[in-house]
Amino acid sequence: MALAMQIRAYLFARPSFLQHFVYRAPLSYRGMSSKGSITVHQLAQTGFGKGTNELYDRARPSYPLESLTHIRGVSNAPSINIVEIGSGTGIFTRALLAHPSWTTSISELRAIEPSDGMREVFSKTVTDSRVIVQNGTFDTTGVEDSWADLIVIAQAFHWCPDYDKAAAEFARILKKGGAACMIWNLEDRDGARWCAQLRERIEQHEAGSPQFRLGLWRKLFDTPSYGASFQPPEEKQWEYHLEGSLDICTNRAQSKSYIAVLPPDEKQRVVDDIVAILNRGNDKKWIDEEKGIFEYPYKTYLAVCRKKD
């Protein structure tokens, strides 16, 4: 009860949704307090704490190949230094390392992640001599000036507590001509009624947290530090279908930060309701009905922020 009260006390103003597309996602929940100590949003700290990360890594989807190809085209450097902020358990990192456009393009990748539990899973799942993972936040990466050709932030930037400080840090560590890329996956509520119903059921537990779909992260583009150092953002999105099943949908829902913190009985009610939604199956399109595999509609959204020369 105390945790729920603390979460509900952290309220955010809700601006209008994105014009073309709305979203949600989890993991760059950090910043600095006025005294300089690292602070982490309570919901993210608990929802992505130790003991929750194996499910997160297993349940969350990777990223479409087209989006990774597009990000490679952002930089024309033959060998790229990358800073990945909010690297989590390594889902995006592994996709990048395995992608044909990136296999031989990465000189070094520094993964920045404030969660001890996430870093622990990352270290187990990412084994590449070019990659190191370390503690840090959006505005305290620990990376030297003008080191990075590219910053990537996957499923994370909506947790940023101070957009102006983050923009200043991005500008500091990027080389001239470098860029920051922010990418998110989200279930596409417009792709099927059952998917919309699933999101309606779980999103009622968001408790005022700064989820991606609310667009609060767009305030980054209005900050003085962003305006001084970056060009207007370039935005792109992809619509597609993943394979879905009863287990995939229920596990993915439970990997959401705001579902992970629920008491066991309340979490079970969420799972039961998702099962009922899937059994009704409004607009469900089967891939293999015998195996229980159906289309799971998704969107991936990308914002590219190029540093001014």
Side-chain angles (χ1 to χ4, degrees), residues 123-161:
S123 296
K124 293 176 181 177
T125 62
V126 179
T127 55
D128 191 297
S129 61
R130 297 168 295 176
V131 180
I132 61 171
V133 61
Q134 61 194 54
N135 191 14
T137 71
F138 284 119
D139 59 3
T140 54
T141 62
V143 176
E144 55 264 38
D145 293 355
S146 303
W147 181 85
D149 296 288
L150 187 69
I151 295 170
V152 290
I153 306 168
Q155 213 74 11
F157 189 70
H158 54 287
W159 291 111
C160 181

Side-chain angles (χ1 to χ4, degrees), residues 61-74:
S62 189
Y63 297 82
L65 294 177
E66 298 87 347
S67 67
L68 301 177
T69 301
H70 188 88
I71 294 173
R72 179 62 186 93
V74 169

Side-chain angles (χ1 to χ4, degrees), residues 209-225:
S209 59
Q211 301 300 320
F212 165 75
R213 69 184 187 87
L214 302 178
L216 299 172
W217 56 272
R218 284 181 161 271
K219 294 179 181 179
L220 167 73
F221 308 137
D222 299 323
T223 62
S225 293

Side-chain angles (χ1 to χ4, degrees), residues 156-288:
F157 189 70
H158 54 287
W159 291 111
C160 181
D162 191 317
Y163 304 116
D164 190 67
K165 287 183 179 180
E169 180 73 351
F170 298 169
R172 182 186 69 78
I173 67 176
L174 279 171
K175 298 176 183 178
K176 289 184 178 180
C181 296
M182 301 179 291
I183 189 168
W184 290 269
N185 291 325
L186 186 68
E187 300 91 340
D188 181 8
R189 64 164 60 246
D190 297 323
R193 282 181 294 163
W194 72 262
C195 191
Q197 293 161 6
L198 184 152
R199 283 189 51 186
E200 296 269 346
R201 178 61 184 89
I202 64 174
E203 287 169 2
Q204 63 185 267
H205 295 283
E206 288 178 349
S209 59
Q211 301 300 320
F212 165 75
R213 69 184 187 87
L214 302 178
L216 299 172
W217 56 272
R218 284 181 161 271
K219 294 179 181 179
L220 167 73
F221 308 137
D222 299 323
T223 62
S225 293
Y226 186 91
S229 299
F230 291 91
Q231 301 175 21
E234 305 163 15
E235 303 180 31
K236 190 172 178 61
Q237 64 178 343
W238 293 265
E239 298 180 12
Y240 54 98
H241 292 91
L242 297 173
E243 288 190 355
S245 68
L246 187 63
D247 285 345
I248 288 171
C249 290
T250 53
N251 285 334
R252 196 162 293 168
Q254 291 177 84
S255 77
K256 309 287 188 181
S257 56
Y258 49 86
I259 302 300
V261 300
L262 294 176
D265 57 341
E266 192 169 357
K267 188 183 297 184
Q268 185 59 50
R269 284 195 292 272
V270 172
V271 171
D272 292 343
D273 288 346
I274 291 173
V275 171
I277 288 168
L278 293 173
N279 285 338
R280 289 197 302 271
N282 298 134
D283 298 332
K284 183 191 289 183
K285 295 181 180 179
W286 289 105
I287 296 174
D288 189 328

